Amino acid sequence: MQPINATPEALTKIKAMIDDRNEPNTLGIRIGVNTRGCSGLAYTMEYVDEETSFDEKAVFDDVSIYIDPKAIMFVLGLEIGYEENDLEEGFVFKNPNEKDRCGCGESFTV
């Protein structure tokens, strides 16, 4: 069982982002959290060019998503999605650990 999950749309977008980066050392992306926003925590995403022994990793076909070890307790069970509509597009995070989310949706609390 994977520590997190991702929808097919999110995996397609992550793969496209990695391919568009055109950096041969890119292994995947890393999900983390930072202290930010009115609710306390916000998700972060960054490219991974070097794997560390502390990273948790979820592999979906040819896409690797790493989890920052400091974030694992906040994102366990997270589902990453990607949505596009007439007004916006971007990644969406469905986290069973969230207790509250700020009005603008930028930050959350567990």
Side-chain angles (χ1 to χ4, degrees):
M1 179 156 175
Q2 303 275 24
I4 62 172
N5 202 358
T7 65
E9 296 82 9
L11 294 172
T12 298
K13 184 62 176 180
I14 292 167
K15 176 80 170 122
M17 288 170 49
I18 291 169
D19 291 345
D20 290 346
R21 187 173 187 223
N22 201 20
E23 184 68 37
N25 294 332
T26 303
L27 302 174
I29 62 160
R30 180 177 288 111
I31 298 294
V33 295
N34 278 342
T35 304
R36 186 172 64 209
C38 46
S39 289
L41 298 171
Y43 297 104
T44 63
M45 294 178 75
E46 63 184 8
Y47 293 106
V48 176
D49 295 329
E50 187 175 319
E51 190 172 319
T52 71
S53 61
F54 300 108
D55 281 331
E56 188 77 33
K57 181 169 79 169
V59 178
F60 306 93
D61 296 323
D62 57 348
V63 176
S64 295
I65 301 176
Y66 295 80
I67 304 167
D68 184 323
K70 294 176 281 193
I72 191 71
M73 67 181 175
F74 300 113
V75 300
L76 197 60
L78 176 71
E79 180 182 80
I80 304 168
Y82 189 82
E83 296 179 359
E84 293 182 51
N85 61 45
D86 292 340
L87 298 175
E88 62 186 359
E89 68 178 278
F91 289 99
V92 292
F93 302 94
K94 294 179 183 170
N95 189 338
N97 304 305
E98 283 186 21
K99 302 294 184 224
D100 197 15
R101 184 175 277 263
C102 71
C104 68
E106 180 183 327
S107 62
F108 67 99
T109 187
V110 290

